[in-house]
Amino acid sequence: MAGRSHSTSRPRVTLSDVAELAGVSVGTASRALSGNGRMRPETRRRVKDAAQSLDFRPNQQAQSLHTGRSWTVGLITTDGIGRFSIPVLLGAEDALGAGRISVLLCDTRGDLIRERHHLQNLMDRRVDGIIVTGRRTDPRPPLSGLHDGIPVAYALSPSTDPSDISIVSDDEQGCGLAIEHLLGSGRTRIAHVTGPAHHAAAADRARFTERLLNDASLGFATGRAHFGDWSEAWGRRAAEMVLRAAPDTDAFFCGNDQIARGVADTLRERDVQVPDQVAVIGYDNWDAMTLAARPPLTTVEVGLTEIGRIAALRLLEAIDDKPSPGLHRVPCRLVVRDSA
Amino acid sequence: MAGRSHSTSRPRVTLSDVAELAGVSVGTASRALSGNGRMRPETRRRVKDAAQSLDFRPNQQAQSLHTGRSWTVGLITTDGIGRFSIPVLLGAEDALGAGRISVLLCDTRGDLIRERHHLQNLMDRRVDGIIVTGRRTDPRPPLSGLHDGIPVAYALSPSTDPSDISIVSDDEQGCGLAIEHLLGSGRTRIAHVTGPAHHAAAADRARFTERLLNDASLGFATGRAHFGDWSEAWGRRAAEMVLRAAPDTDAFFCGNDQIARGVADTLRERDVQVPDQVAVIGYDNWDAMTLAARPPLTTVEVGLTEIGRIAALRLLEAIDDKPSPGLHRVPCRLVVRDSA
């Protein structure tokens, strides 16, 4: 039947086949392979040899009824679009796959009813643990209605409960890399253009940047951070505003790469040399933005894949009854290109 | 223990609890709930009432040993980056979730050894079916080493085996929408700038475009399609070349949105009015590109989420022994903005 057969197909070997070849009952074969039950060592050996010669793969469903583990982890993402959560998911999938653990993907699209439905389904499937991720760095309430004993790790979007395991980006250290780089190249009149003030990613980065500038006895070039949205169009508009308010601005540190690209475009169109006259640094290291910008953007890379990987490792430890509660921060790195 | 307990936690109700409340053995309770085995109707009723009053959720692992179905589908993606495959995955997850089927996510990163490992794991877990997706529209060989009876649907990247179930984008119809729109607004000197000639997405779109132009007694403005890469930088360079070779070009139809954005930038910087003097149409409808471009881009939207959704539905039919073998094409739609 189409879609069902391939020349490379082979029939599935069952436990009965193994039992028959070894000359034992199915029950004995099962106990021999699971390591349970008492039997003569040569019987166990014979069953194992038969299984090997037939390339028998045990049914994991049946196995997990014995071990009480499903070797499955639920991955709940609230981010239907995925630019942020997908690298996190892939990092987690990579770390779990190495441990032969499979990932059940659940997309809640930010909807609480969908989240409950998925959570119930994951519990019905007896997942060993759950990773929760989102598109924002804002803290989120812990999963509600969770059974006892199912560990959870929150990745990128931390849990509001400080006793939960949360893995986040170290935005303070990331802002430090950018400001240090700008100060190191002699910039002292630094403007900050970022996203909406009610997003933690914007508010946090603005606060950290202000503190870092104050530590160097400086302030924002325009006296304040400029909050807007995460778009290029906002970057272009904000650059006009900043250059009007503080024409001696010699650097822009931006809350994301889209804003930075918009700023760089405005500077370019006003014949301001980047980076000679004004430096520009972005945030995220989104290659579609940073590489296409003129000039290519220096930016702070958030280790999204690493956040996912560490969330998976912390979750595995928690499943193994060795949890590390609290907030874990994953460092950023500065990717230096041509704009600063 | 941190990460393990919440104020909202509740202990897991077991089948033993149900059996105890109903005053029957665990075996009887199991048979009553599964609908199997003979017993008095009032006994079955009593067990079901007990299960309901305790909010008992059956263990799906144990259930699937009875039904022979795992209610799980494997989703194999070869695209670690995910801009194309992730919308496909989410469309599939959405369609499967509605049928209470869970999705096991496997990322092979284009590596054949990883693919085999994941495939083996999915077979060990007795998945009901598998969806395979990639980042390219190029055909791919069917999964090898598959057990009999596991249906597969290929999404976005079709299988080279025409008897497999493959769901792809209808690029011919998509190119038709773009060319029809340009001809309808009186353009007759249409250039085509696209990605690498060895990518099916580039070669197919160029071939379809040429045929459509020929059908209107036209040809490419520059006599040929321009193959390069999928970047804005290539779009900028290609626009310079085209304007030099055929200064009377009145439209660019581009193989993706990044190329179209690069073309629009070059036109803008040469003070060519878009769309009054020259129209620009992209492909994909990637909002980060189309909305940030000046002017915002008219583009052909590929129904990636719909491709995933239909792949899931076709897979469910195949699982239900009603397969629809062959290639299924999902139509594109034209998103009209300001560039054409």
Side-chain angles (χ1 to χ4, degrees), chain B:
Chain B
M1 199 180 330
R4 295 216 147 202
S5 59
H6 287 291
S7 52
T8 47
S9 298
R10 49 204 159 85
R12 186 174 280 167
V13 175
T14 66
L15 188 59
S16 308
D17 300 326
V18 174
E20 193 183 329
L21 183 61
V24 300
S25 72
V26 171
T28 300
S30 169
R31 286 192 301 278
L33 293 176
S34 67
N36 297 323
R38 271 187 283 179
M39 66 186 65
R40 282 181 301 163
E42 52 268 38
T43 306
R44 197 182 297 277
R45 186 70 262 149
R46 204 163 69 238
V47 173
K48 289 196 168 180
D49 286 347
Q52 200 173 4
S53 72
L54 291 173
D55 195 18
F56 171 72
R57 313 274 310 189
N59 181 336
Q60 290 215 354
Q61 287 157 10
Q63 275 202 313
S64 46
L65 285 178
H66 285 296
T67 62
R69 280 192 60 177
S70 63
W71 300 95
T72 308
V73 157
L75 249 168
I76 297 180
T77 168
T78 58
D79 174 9
I81 294 176
R83 193 162 70 76
F84 295 105
S85 61
I86 294 306
V88 175
L89 298 186
L90 294 179
E93 192 263 359
D94 193 35
L96 294 168
R100 300 197 57 77
I101 290 179
S102 289
V103 170
L104 285 165
L105 176 69
C106 306
D107 174 26
T108 69
R109 289 159 176 73
D111 179 71
L112 220 61
I113 292 173
R114 285 181 79 107
E115 181 168 302
R116 287 211 190 105
H117 164 84
H118 277 303
L119 186 58
Q120 189 59 64
N121 185 28
L122 291 176
M123 291 191 295
D124 290 347
R125 289 178 183 275
R126 304 288 196 265
V127 290
D128 298 328
I130 297 174
I131 293 172
V132 181
T133 187
R135 66 187 306 188
R136 302 252 302 253
T137 63
D138 296 76
R140 54 153 290 149
L143 293 177
S144 80
L146 202 63
H147 286 154
D148 272 340
I150 300 183
V152 180
Y154 297 84
L156 194 59
S157 309
S159 166
T160 49
D161 183 341
S163 69
D164 281 335
I165 300 169
S166 296
I167 322 291
V168 299
S169 168
D170 192 342
D171 268 359
E172 183 164 14
Q173 174 263 356
C175 291
L177 294 173
I179 297 302
E180 195 179 320
H181 185 76
L182 292 175
L183 296 176
S185 65
R187 318 287 172 162
T188 55
R189 296 177 296 279
I190 300 171
H192 186 59
V193 181
T194 190
H198 64 278
H199 282 198
D204 290 348
R205 290 170 199 169
R207 199 174 66 251
F208 297 141
T209 300
E210 181 162 33
R211 191 187 305 155
L212 288 156
L213 291 174
N214 291 346
D215 287 351
S217 307
L218 297 170
F220 291 124
T222 53
R224 63 183 184 94
H226 298 267
F227 294 99
D229 57 49
W230 297 112
S231 71
E232 292 183 55
W234 162 239
R236 294 193 294 253
R237 280 204 315 281
E240 301 278 2
M241 280 169 42
V242 166
L243 292 180
R244 228 176 3 248
D248 61 349
T249 296
D250 60 12
F252 284 80
F253 174 40
C254 302
N256 82 352
D257 290 329
Q258 284 159 284
I259 294 171
R261 183 171 180 186
V263 166
D265 272 346
T266 288
L267 294 174
R268 198 166 167 280
E269 285 162 22
R270 284 167 146 255
D271 290 322
V272 176
Q273 298 300 311
V274 176
D276 294 348
Q277 293 171 270
V278 177
V280 179
I281 296 189
Y283 213 102
D284 288 343
N285 196 27
W286 184 14
D287 56 358
M289 286 297 142
T290 55
L291 299 179
R294 290 173 288 173
L297 297 175
T298 293
T299 188
V300 177
E301 176 171 300
V302 176
L304 295 171
T305 305
E306 185 68 4
I307 289 173
R309 210 181 61 81
I310 292 180
L313 296 177
R314 292 283 168 278
L315 185 71
L316 293 178
E317 290 167 4
I319 291 170
D320 208 22
D321 271 331
K322 293 190 279 277
S324 319
L327 205 62
H328 303 259
R329 289 192 180 83
V330 175
C332 305
R333 70 185 186 98
L334 189 72
V335 179
V336 178
R337 295 198 183 89
D338 303 332
S339 69

Side-chain angles (χ1 to χ4, degrees), chain A residues 6 42-44 47-48 56 58 70-71 73 103 110 124 132 137 142 157 161 216 219 234 236 251 302 314:
Chain A
H6 288 291
E42 54 268 37
T43 305
R44 197 182 296 276
V47 173
K48 289 197 167 178
F56 171 72
S70 64
W71 301 94
V73 157
V103 170
D124 289 349
V132 182
T137 63
S157 309
D161 183 340
W234 163 238
R236 293 193 294 254
V302 176
R314 292 282 168 278

